[in-house]
Amino acid sequence: MSPVSLAERVAGTGGYAADLTLTEGLVAGEALPAVELEGCRFEGSVLERAVLRDCVFTDCTFTGCNLSMAVLDGSRFTDCRFVDCKALAVSWGRAAPAPLSTRPWDFERCRLDLGSFRDAAGAGSRFAECSMREVDLAGADLRRAELTGCDLGSATFADTDLREASLLGSTGYVVDPAENRVRGLRVDTAGAAGVLRAIGLVVED
């Protein structure tokens, strides 16, 4: 007997479910109906290449899940948290804005390489100890965001709003103050080299 999928698990809920622990996943290309899930805990769910379109997630936690290349078009994540997740090449910027969220994005120890937050509304977001190599952050609103202890190698910063944000403990980034808004941006001594290189200064050890 084949295992129950996430879509089958939430079928019959009338489009709304709350306080569930969900371990089921979706096969590549399988779609989750436009459901609203509140206070649910996704634990180890495999959602690689799944289609999560026009869903609403509120106060949900994703732990140890695989969301690589998942389609999030039109879905809204309000006060959700992602911990120890693998989410490669995800276009997070295509999710719907969550204006009532106190922290639009909250990632801890996640692999977000090759993803995109282009033009995303992410003021106040938190990225802690994440791998964000080659992530597109162009045009993103990251005011007051915490990107701490992250690997930002080859990440794209262009017209990114980093005012009062923190890059403390992060490495690999190159941020040009002439092309980004950086007033009040906090960096440490090691990371400051990425700012100096961007304006043409030679940084020597």
Side-chain angles (χ1 to χ4, degrees):
M1 183 175 180
S2 60
V4 174
S5 75
L6 178 59
E8 292 171 324
R9 174 74 187 279
V10 300
T13 62
Y16 173 83
D19 197 30
L20 298 177
T21 297
L22 302 166
T23 59
E24 298 83 2
L26 299 168
V27 299
E30 187 178 3
L32 184 68
V35 296
E36 180 177 355
L37 300 176
E38 183 174 1
C40 293
R41 299 164 296 279
F42 292 82
E43 298 181 357
S45 298
V46 177
L47 304 169
E48 186 171 3
R49 297 181 184 269
V51 180
L52 310 179
R53 182 178 285 117
D54 299 325
C55 297
V56 177
F57 301 92
T58 304
D59 292 321
C60 293
T61 302
F62 296 78
T63 304
C65 298
N66 183 353
L67 296 103
S68 294
M69 293 173 279
V71 176
L72 308 180
D73 297 16
S75 285
R76 179 176 290 108
F77 296 82
T78 300
D79 293 329
C80 293
R81 188 172 179 227
F82 299 80
V83 181
D84 295 322
C85 290
K86 178 182 178 182
L88 307 180
V90 175
S91 293
W92 300 95
R94 296 175 68 170
L100 300 180
S101 183
T102 56
R103 181 170 280 166
W105 297 110
D106 189 347
F107 297 96
E108 184 173 341
R109 298 188 304 275
C110 292
R111 292 181 58 194
L112 307 174
D113 307 325
L114 304 171
S116 175
F117 290 87
R118 177 175 285 267
D119 300 323
S125 292
R126 173 177 175 263
F127 302 81
E129 300 179 46
C130 294
S131 180
M132 301 177 68
R133 297 187 63 82
E134 298 186 57
V135 168
D136 186 357
L137 297 166
D141 179 0
L142 294 176
R143 288 172 295 161
R144 303 179 306 282
E146 298 178 15
L147 295 92
T148 54
C150 296
D151 181 355
L152 289 161
S154 300
T156 299
F157 292 91
D159 195 28
T160 307
D161 194 340
L162 292 164
R163 288 177 291 176
E164 299 182 30
S166 174
L167 291 173
L168 295 175
S170 291
T171 59
Y173 60 86
V174 176
V175 176
D176 189 340
E179 297 182 358
N180 301 277
R181 283 166 280 184
V182 298
R183 184 177 294 277
L185 173 64
R186 288 174 291 155
V187 299
D188 51 30
T189 303
V195 178
L196 297 175
R197 282 196 298 272
I199 59 177
L201 297 181
V202 176
V203 180
E204 297 182 355
D205 294 331

